[in-house]
Amino acid sequence: EAQVTQNPRYLITVTGKKLTVTCSQNMNHEYMSWYRQDPGLGLRQIYYSMNVEVTDKGDVPEGYKVSRKEKRNFPLILESPSPNQTSLYFCASRDWSSYEQYFGPGTRLTVT
Amino acid sequence: DAKTTQPNSMESNEEEPVHLPCNHSTISGTDYIHWYRQLPSQGPEYVIHGLTSNVNNRMASLAIAEDRKSSTLILHRATLRDAAVYYCILFNTDKLIFGTGTRLQVFP
C-alpha cells in the first residue's frame, strides 16, 4: 500500500531535549516536505526537499533541521525544542510527474 | 503568494449535492487550483485540481469560472464520510499554501 508513515504519532517532551520525528514514504517520490498545523493558522510549510541531499526552507523553518540522505526518508529534527513548537506535524511527498501530494497521519508534539 | 477565500463553514444533508465555493481574484495565469480535504484526526488528502477547464474524478467535480477568479468544488452526493475541512489552494511552485478552509458538516 502506498503510504507516508511518521513516527512517533504522539510525543510529549521537555524544553531543550533534542528529538527527531521520522518520515518515510514507499512511493519513490522525489519531493518531500514538512508542515505544522496550528489552530487558526492552517498548515504552514517548514522545510522541503526536491531530492536526495537537496533541502530548502519553507515558511517557518526557525528551530528545525532536516536531512535527506535517502530518497525514502526525510526526518525532522528539533535540536532544542521550545513550547512554541507544540503543534501537529505532517510529512508529505509527491512525484514530480504528479500534482497529488500524499500526507502522513501526523505527529502531535507537546513541549513543556 | 496568491490567496484564496472560502467560507468558514457549510452544512449539508446526506445524499444532497454540495457546492463549496472559493474566490481567488489574484490568481496568475500559471496557478493551478487544487483542492484538498482533511478528515478528522487525519492528514490532508488530495481531492482534485484544474487549470482552466472543469474537471471530474471519482471523488468530486471542479468547476472553474471563465475568468478563473473563482471555482467551486462539487460533491454530487454528500455522505457522512465527506464531513471534513476542505482547502482550496493555488499551486505553481513547490509548496501548497493552505488557508483555513471550509468546515463541511453533513447531517443524516
Side-chain angles (χ1 to χ4, degrees), chain B residues 37-73:
Chain B
R37 72 179 185 181
Q38 188 172 17
L39 302 171
S41 302
Q42 294 189 28
E45 65 174 342
Y46 168 84
V47 177
I48 200 166
H49 79 276
L51 183 62
T52 56
S53 304
N54 295 343
V55 184
N56 300 297
N57 68 19
R58 62 176 179 81
M59 288 181 71
S61 296
L62 176 59
I64 301 173
E66 197 168 332
D67 64 5
R68 301 210 325 126
K69 293 184 185 298
S70 66
S71 60
T72 302
L73 178 71

Side-chain angles (χ1 to χ4, degrees), chain A residues 9-109:
Chain A
R9 294 289 313 280
Y10 302 91
L11 179 59
I12 300 174
T13 190
V14 295
T15 299
K17 186 176 181 182
K18 180 179 178 180
L19 67 91
T20 299
V21 183
T22 64
C23 172
S24 182
Q25 49 94 4
N26 63 359
M27 296 166 280
N28 202 36
H29 288 168
E30 294 88 0
Y31 180 88
M32 297 185 73
S33 62
W34 276 101
Y35 294 82
R36 62 177 287 174
Q37 184 172 31
D38 303 290
L41 296 176
L43 283 96
R44 295 176 292 167
Q45 192 182 54
I46 303 170
Y47 268 95
Y48 65 95
S49 169
M50 294 198 221
N51 215 324
V52 176
E53 302 293 0
V54 180
T55 63
D56 211 343
K57 297 177 181 179
D59 296 318
V60 288
E62 295 77 21
Y64 304 95
K65 286 176 58 177
V66 293
S67 69
R68 188 89 182 273
K69 293 184 171 55
E70 304 167 284
K71 199 172 188 179
R72 65 183 290 124
N73 296 323
F74 190 44
L76 179 69
I77 303 156
L78 285 71
E79 295 268 0
S80 183
S82 63
N84 65 11
Q85 293 177 298
T86 292
S87 187
L88 180 58
Y89 292 86
F90 291 101
C91 180
S93 73
R94 74 173 175 90
D95 185 87
W96 282 124
S97 64
S98 168
Y99 289 105
E100 181 176 353
Q101 196 151 176
Y102 292 80
F103 284 81
T107 295
R108 186 167 291 282
L109 172 65

Side-chain angles (χ1 to χ4, degrees), chain B residues 3-96:
Chain B
K3 292 183 67 173
T4 62
T5 304
Q6 300 176 252
N8 288 333
S9 63
M10 292 186 66
E11 297 177 353
S12 175
N13 293 319
E14 206 174 4
E15 299 193 5
E16 289 185 353
V18 180
H19 292 231
L20 297 166
C22 181
N23 288 320
H24 28 79
S25 58
T26 59
I27 191 170
S28 73
T30 56
D31 284 336
Y32 281 79
I33 301 160
H34 283 234
W35 284 81
Y36 279 72
R37 72 179 185 181
Q38 188 172 17
L39 302 171
S41 302
Q42 294 189 28
E45 65 174 342
Y46 168 84
V47 177
I48 200 166
H49 79 276
L51 183 62
T52 56
S53 304
N54 295 343
V55 184
N56 300 297
N57 68 19
R58 62 176 179 81
M59 288 181 71
S61 296
L62 176 59
I64 301 173
E66 197 168 332
D67 64 5
R68 301 210 325 126
K69 293 184 185 298
S70 66
S71 60
T72 302
L73 178 71
I74 302 165
L75 307 179
H76 295 286
R77 290 183 65 192
T79 69
L80 296 177
R81 195 190 174 278
D82 291 323
V85 178
Y86 287 78
Y87 297 98
C88 169
I89 302 161
L90 300 184
F91 178 82
N92 72 349
T93 56
D94 295 313
K95 62 183 176 183
L96 298 169

